[in-house]
Each structure stands twice: as structure tokens, then as C-alpha cells.
Amino acid sequence: MIIVMKKDATQNEIQTVVNRLEAIDCEAHVSVGRFRTVIGAVGDRNQILQLPLEALAGVERAVPVMRSYKLVSREFHESGTVIEVRGVRIGDGSFTSVAGPCAVESRDVLFETAEAVRAAGATVLRGDAFKPRTSPFSFQGLKEKGLILLAEAREEFDMPFVAEVLDPRDVDLVADYADILRIGTRNMSNFALLTEVGRTKTPVMLKRGFTATLEEWLNAAEYIYKEGNQEIILVERGIRTFETASRNTLDITAVPLLKEMSHLPVLVDPSHASGKRHLVAPLARAGLAVGADGLMVDVHPAPDTALVDGAQAILPDEFAELMRSIEVMARALGIPL
Ligand code: PEP
Ligand code: MN
């Protein structure tokens, strides 16, 4: 149930509604919007329906939410969520570019890439210290050493960074360093991990499970939001379809759909979607065209020697060229970068 308060509702009236909900063991999530406050009630539906909510002072209307996800739904929060990390705003109508190597391999590769993507216009650095690999014998990441290098690159190039966290036991460690935590496709349904990142105050990028529907994905976001962490960025990274010509299929339809369904910002990741270098730029531009809030791209100065995902990494020069075309398109569409 979503309780929409009147524009002039007082703090006391809001608190009264919260108290009534909590008295029946229901969670009350208060969302203060620009014009009005909305309260999301999560609990036993029948009990909530029995409360005379619309009769309480300050309440404009109580609307049952039929969707399985509630807190991340547009109904709960009419305006889009804007996330700010070290001065970079994501979801404010601008287009944010996140770029960097798939994994942190060495100081040299990380710094060379960070410098180049920063110069080309990226504002957030990516690079993982913990890698989810299909084979347990493949490079698994530099762990804390990688996080330390990322933190150094952040200072050197003045860019916040995002890094993946794979295990609930590592959430505090990664959150100590990273500006944004990332949950990868394989962990979208790892509810223990979602709950744990939900308890931090660090923004979370939640990638789409490669077989997940939009509804399942938004329910995964709900696990994070429910714990109190409202700063969630959705990343469409391709889903597994019958097509084998590319690694996955970038579901661009998901972007405008998510914009209707949810208030969370949406990025596209054309690198993990395609798995192929030459497909990255056209898919990135498609993301901008369908209304994504930004993109995330793997960049590597020597992809042939990359320890992870070399086949999809683009060169720094190719990234710069991509950014030039993004600039032209964004200007034509009236989207600030
Ligand atoms: C990544 O971004 O490096 C990654 C592993 O992505 P995904 O979880 O989407 O495969
Ligand atoms: Mn990768």
C-alpha cells in the first residue's frame, strides 16, 4: 500500500500514519518528495486494508500497489532518484560514463586506463578487485591490493570508482574503499548479499541477472532498498537468448520500460552484453538513444594481454572516439553530459 500525504501534511500527521502502520508490525518507508511525502507500507496486506488510512489527518489517498515490488516502483517515488558520488550525479537527466578495465591487473594498466578514460570524458572509474570467473582456475582478482590501487587512482584522477563485491563477508572491506558497490549478474539473486549491501551507506549498482525478468530484477533491488539503502543504480548488461552471435543480447527495450516501472537510474553495459569489441560503440549509442542515464564500458590499453574479458575491451582511443559520438548525439537530443 502506498499512502500519499497531502501537500501541506505536517510532520505530526506523517508520524501518526507511520505509528499506525508500525502498530500492526508493518514497515513504513517514508519518501519525502519535492511536493509531497509518500509512505510505502510493507506488511500483511489484509491488516493494512483494515486500517482507516484515508480517514487520518493529512492523508490524501491510500493506493494498493499490485506490483510485487513496491519501494523501487514509480508509484512510490514519482520523480527519478538522483545519486551523487563525489560530485558526480547519476539519474539527474545527464548521461554518465563509467569506464575502466574489467579487472585491476596492475598499477600501470589501471593508471594508464584511468588517465585515458578521464581525459575522454568518463566521470566514474570501473575496475574489479574481486572477479566472478566461470572457471575457479582463472584469475580471481587482486583482492584488497586491487582496492588500494583503485583508491590511489581515485585520488590521482579525481574520479569515484565502482567495484564488484562477491561475498557478504567482503561487503565492509569493499565499502571501505569503493564509492559504489557493484552486484554482478551472477549474484543478482544472492539475497544474503543484497541484504548486506542494503545495510551499508554506499550506493549500489545492481546488474541484471542474465536470465532475470524485469520484475525479478526490481524485486532484487527491493531487497537492497528495504534495508535502508535507497541509492541503487540498475545496469542492463544483456540477457541470455537463443542468439549465439554475441555473448548476450542487450535488452534495450528494458531501458524505457524500467523508466516507467521504477524511479531508479538505469545504465547500459554494452561490453558485457556483447562480449565483442566492435559491438560496444553501436550498443552504447543505442543506450543513449533509448533514454539510459549512462553507460559502463570495459577499456584496456592492451586487450590481447588482458587477464579478463579482453575480447570485449576497447582501446583508450576507441573509447575517446565513442565519447565524441556520444557528445554529438547527446547535444542533438538535449541531454547534458
Ligand atoms: C563486470 O562488470 O565486470 C561483470 C563481471 O559484469 P557481469 O556481472 O554483468 O557479467
Ligand atoms: Mn568483465
Side-chain angles (χ1 to χ4, degrees), residues 65-107:
V65 182
M66 298 306 172
R67 302 185 192 268
S68 55
Y69 55 91
K70 302 178 195 318
L71 304 171
V72 303
S73 70
R74 259 296 164 193
E75 287 87 343
F76 181 52
H77 203 289
E78 260 176 63
S79 55
T81 286
V82 179
I83 291 159
E84 186 163 342
V85 272
R86 293 184 178 244
V88 177
R89 288 162 68 80
I90 303 171
D92 66 347
S94 64
F95 192 76
T96 306
S97 296
V98 181
C102 180
V104 181
E105 299 171 8
S106 68
R107 190 173 199 281

Side-chain angles (χ1 to χ4, degrees), residues 194-253:
L194 298 175
T195 300
E196 213 51 45
V197 298
R199 291 180 179 157
T200 71
K201 297 204 176 336
T202 307
V204 179
M205 254 186 202
L206 177 64
K207 294 190 104 176
R208 181 181 187 175
F210 55 80
T211 60
T213 64
L214 299 185
E215 188 177 352
E216 287 161 345
W217 187 10
L218 290 172
N219 270 291
E222 200 87 343
Y223 270 90
I224 301 170
Y225 202 101
K226 187 174 173 299
E227 293 304 316
N229 192 342
Q230 306 182 352
E231 301 200 298
I232 306 166
I233 302 155
L234 302 169
V235 184
E236 162 58 43
R237 49 79 68 204
I239 48 176
R240 200 166 266 188
T241 65
F242 53 82
E243 182 56 71
T244 54
S246 58
R247 182 165 159 189
N248 292 287
T249 298
L250 181 69
D251 180 9
I252 50 170
T253 313

Side-chain angles (χ1 to χ4, degrees), residues 118-164:
R118 180 78 172 111
T123 50
V124 179
L125 177 65
R126 67 150 292 148
D128 288 334
F130 293 89
K131 287 309 302 176
R133 305 306 303 279
T134 302
S135 162
F137 307 114
S138 303
F139 173 64
Q140 304 283 315
L142 296 180
K143 318 250 162 51
E144 188 166 8
K145 245 173 71 189
L147 294 170
I148 292 170
L149 292 173
L150 283 160
E152 282 176 26
R154 167 176 58 207
E155 299 314 315
E156 180 82 18
F157 304 106
D158 189 25
M159 299 172 89
F161 75 86
V162 55
E164 178 153 358

Side-chain angles (χ1 to χ4, degrees), residues 261-294:
M261 297 161 86
S262 174
H263 53 84
L264 299 176
V266 184
L267 305 190
V268 293
D269 175 347
S271 305
H272 292 83
S274 65
K276 292 188 174 169
R277 184 171 310 136
H278 71 284
L279 298 176
V280 170
L283 294 181
R285 289 190 285 263
L288 170 63
V290 292
D293 296 286

Side-chain angles (χ1 to χ4, degrees), residues 104-121:
V104 181
E105 299 171 8
S106 68
R107 190 173 199 281
D108 286 353
V109 170
L110 177 65
F111 276 50
E112 187 181 341
T113 314
E115 184 174 19
V117 299
R118 180 78 172 111

Side-chain angles (χ1 to χ4, degrees), residues 1 6 24 56 59 76 139 163 179 189 236:
M1 181 77 81
K6 289 186 176 148
I24 56 163
L56 295 178
V59 173
F76 181 52
F139 173 64
D179 303 289
S189 305
E236 162 58 43

